Amino acid sequence: SININKFPRSFIKTKGIMKSFSVFITILATASAFAPTPIKNVQRNAVALQMANADAEFYIDQERRNVMNLILVGSAGVTIAGLAIPFIAFFVPPGSGGGAGGSAAKDALGNGIQLKDYLETKPAGDRSLAQGLKGDATYLIVKPDKTLESYGLNAVCTHLGCVVPWSAPNNKFMCPCHGSQVRE
């Protein structure tokens, strides 16, 4: 290691000036690399003029150009389609089944529920469990005019997965897993 205290102050100051000077010279020397080159007076020779006048001899093959353009456009199209199709498919919602309407509700044994029989046995305002989509517990709600709501309420808690019962005295759904309560 070098002890700086051995050198006189003037030497250290001179050394700093030398570094600055060498950086300046380097910048000055490389600046000429970016200067525009002078344009020389180029004379055309007779051979170049004769080649320019030749019509069919040096004609670029148009068929080859078309093939190369097709290859270029085709490969670019395949690449863009390969990136765009998954990107666009991300924004398309998944299909929700057929267009024939809802799925048939089933009772606890898996038998189909008949609307007329079901409405005869249930009072107005009843919320009974049935099997809905994917076999999940679903509430069928009987309206005051003794018809069914056009929807079923999924009875499975979205947070912890337990079945949420209807509490008739409180007039709300009360989740036993985490205590959440939802009014009608």
Side-chain angles (χ1 to χ4, degrees), residues 13-35:
K13 194 181 260 186
T14 306
K15 190 173 181 183
I17 292 172
M18 290 301 289
K19 281 185 182 178
S20 299
F21 182 71
S22 64
V23 168
F24 176 74
I25 294 297
T26 304
I27 291 173
L28 190 64
T30 57
S32 65
F34 299 107

Side-chain angles (χ1 to χ4, degrees), residues 32-168:
S32 65
F34 299 107
T37 56
I39 298 174
K40 295 180 181 176
N41 204 1
V42 180
Q43 294 180 354
R44 296 182 184 241
N45 56 18
V47 176
L49 292 175
Q50 287 176 354
M51 288 178 68
N53 288 333
D55 289 331
E57 292 179 38
F58 295 103
Y59 180 72
I60 297 174
D61 189 9
Q62 188 65 35
E63 185 178 339
R64 285 185 184 175
R65 291 185 76 178
N66 289 339
V67 169
M68 290 305 291
N69 286 338
L70 286 174
I71 290 172
L72 175 69
V73 170
S75 63
V78 168
T79 303
I80 291 170
L83 294 172
I85 290 173
F87 181 77
I88 292 169
F90 176 78
F91 295 105
V92 176
S96 61
S103 61
K106 298 179 181 178
D107 61 11
L109 301 175
N111 301 323
I113 294 177
Q114 299 299 322
L115 180 64
K116 185 177 179 184
D117 297 335
Y118 183 80
L119 290 176
E120 286 176 1
T121 60
K122 303 296 178 185
D126 182 62
R127 286 158 181 78
S128 297
L129 284 174
Q131 286 185 26
L133 297 174
K134 300 183 230 170
D136 284 349
T138 304
Y139 283 105
L140 297 179
I141 302 171
V142 180
K143 295 191 281 186
D145 63 351
K146 293 288 281 182
T147 59
L148 277 181
E149 285 286 353
S150 60
Y151 58 88
L153 293 177
N154 192 337
V156 179
C157 174
T158 58
H159 302 111
L160 298 175
C162 59
V163 175
V164 180
W166 170 255
S167 175

